[in-house]
Amino acid sequence: MPNNQKLFFAVGLAQKAGKALSGDFAVTEALRKGKVKLLLIAKDASEKSKEKLAYQCKEYNVPTLEVATRSELGLAMGKAPRTAAAIVDENFVKMILK
């Protein structure tokens, strides 16, 4: 399985298990509460969005990974295009980084 397919599989699985969050409000709240273990950011997200997310992740000491496109990230989650996805479970983080 190519690397992107493994990533999409892991993100989809995390979404189904309720261990992935997306959407501006949900991601921001999870970051504030210290729940996010890894933040996936779409490569084609706007520079403003990337800067905002990078700042929040630095503030809360959360690693980030730039992946795929907004459409591909959304498709992996079974949703509309997504700028970012927050992974809140350490096991899924290991699966994604593997």
Side-chain angles (χ1 to χ4, degrees), residues 9-95:
F9 175 76
V11 170
L13 205 57
Q15 174 67 30
K16 287 178 184 172
K19 302 296 182 183
L21 305 169
S22 62
D24 191 41
F25 182 75
V27 169
T28 303
E29 279 299 303
L31 281 167
R32 272 194 214 129
K33 292 178 181 178
K35 292 182 179 181
V36 180
K37 308 296 183 209
L38 175 68
L39 188 70
L40 305 174
I41 303 173
K43 288 180 182 177
D44 62 347
S46 72
E47 286 305 312
K48 187 176 180 179
S49 293
K50 285 182 185 179
E51 287 172 12
K52 178 184 168 192
L53 291 167
Y55 174 78
Q56 288 177 337
C57 286
K58 187 176 179 183
E59 187 176 325
Y60 297 107
N61 199 26
V62 173
T64 62
L65 189 61
E66 220 173 277
V67 297
T69 64
R70 292 173 57 235
S71 296
E72 291 170 333
L73 188 56
L75 190 61
M77 297 183 82
K79 297 180 178 272
R82 299 289 162 174
T83 299
I87 307 300
V88 297
D89 183 83
E90 198 63 47
N91 292 320
F92 284 109
V93 171
K94 289 176 188 173
M95 188 180 207

